[in-house]
Amino acid sequence: MSIKKKIANKINKFLGYYAKDASMSERIDRYRQLGMVIGESVVIYDSTFDAVYPWLIKIGNRCTITRAEILAHDDSLVLHNGKRFVAPVVIKDNVFIGRGAIILPGVTIESNTIIAAGAIVTKDVPEGMVVAGNPARVIASVEEVAARKEASGQLIPHHFKSNLIENDEDAEVAKKVMSWSASGGKSWA
């Protein structure tokens, strides 16, 4: 293979990694081709994964990642000592990672966990916990948060169909939001 062809292949591989117009399953397939381990029923919305060491990222089953960033290396000391920190990131089953969250190298996120939007996760997250903040810290268990949200009366049904919201659900949501708005924000009848 010519040097030009090798360079073209590397550029295509790199650009494919950042493809925004591909379907979710196509993006997940590309991440897997780069060596990431990604389980079944994973939903990834417009997120960024370590482009240098993608094979150090493992994502379990039934996870949702929304516009987050997951890093397996840290170059902050390169100018000082010429060394890079590299460590795997493990995300176990049933994990939700909110918009804008950043997961740093060497972190393990245990199963049944919620990472709040904007959280900067610098250390391992215990099973069944919700973490938030910078740096992220445990704020409650998932059960406690679920109970508070349920008591608020503002939860609405959500059903997945091929990782997308069903059209009839959109109509149901619109009715509930209109009802809530008509009540002055007091009731989700």
Side-chain angles (χ1 to χ4, degrees):
M1 182 181 299
S2 73
I3 189 80
K4 281 184 177 180
K5 187 75 169 168
K6 286 180 182 179
I7 291 171
N9 285 343
K10 287 191 182 257
I11 290 171
N12 284 336
K13 185 176 179 181
F14 180 80
L15 292 176
Y17 179 79
Y18 289 102
K20 301 285 187 198
D21 58 345
S23 72
M24 188 176 310
S25 63
E26 289 171 330
R27 285 193 307 270
I28 288 173
D29 286 344
R30 287 183 182 147
Y31 300 145
R32 287 179 175 142
Q33 289 171 3
L34 292 169
M36 287 176 58
V37 175
I38 301 174
E40 297 300 315
S41 301
V42 172
V43 178
I44 299 173
Y45 295 108
D46 198 19
S47 295
T48 303
F49 301 98
D50 195 297
V52 180
Y53 301 101
W55 59 89
L56 291 177
I57 299 170
K58 181 179 180 183
I59 301 169
N61 299 311
R62 296 170 307 283
C63 293
T64 298
I65 303 172
T66 60
R67 286 196 175 187
E69 186 167 0
I70 301 173
L71 301 171
H73 81 282
D74 173 2
D75 283 348
S76 61
L77 293 175
V78 169
L79 294 175
H80 303 284
N81 66 8
K83 295 180 181 175
R84 165 186 281 169
F85 176 70
V86 178
V89 173
V90 178
I91 299 166
K92 298 198 177 171
D93 298 336
N94 301 316
V95 172
F96 177 87
I97 300 176
R99 183 183 183 120
I102 300 173
I103 313 301
L104 295 179
V107 168
T108 296
I109 300 172
E110 295 294 338
S111 297
N112 305 309
T113 306
I114 297 172
I115 309 301
I120 311 296
V121 183
T122 61
K123 60 184 179 180
D124 294 351
V125 177
E127 183 166 352
M129 293 293 138
V130 177
V131 299
N134 178 11
R137 62 179 179 78
V138 173
I139 60 168
S141 72
V142 171
E143 289 82 16
E144 290 169 332
V145 170
R148 280 197 303 258
K149 297 286 184 175
E150 191 69 44
S152 76
Q154 294 178 302
L155 295 180
I156 57 175
H158 181 76
H159 307 285
F160 282 101
K161 180 178 181 181
S162 302
N163 294 332
L164 298 174
I165 298 172
E166 296 179 22
N167 287 335
D168 59 341
E169 184 178 334
D170 290 338
E172 182 182 339
V173 169
K175 286 178 191 175
K176 288 215 176 244
V177 170
M178 294 299 287
S179 170
W180 176 78
S181 180
S183 74
K186 294 177 184 171
S187 172
W188 281 83

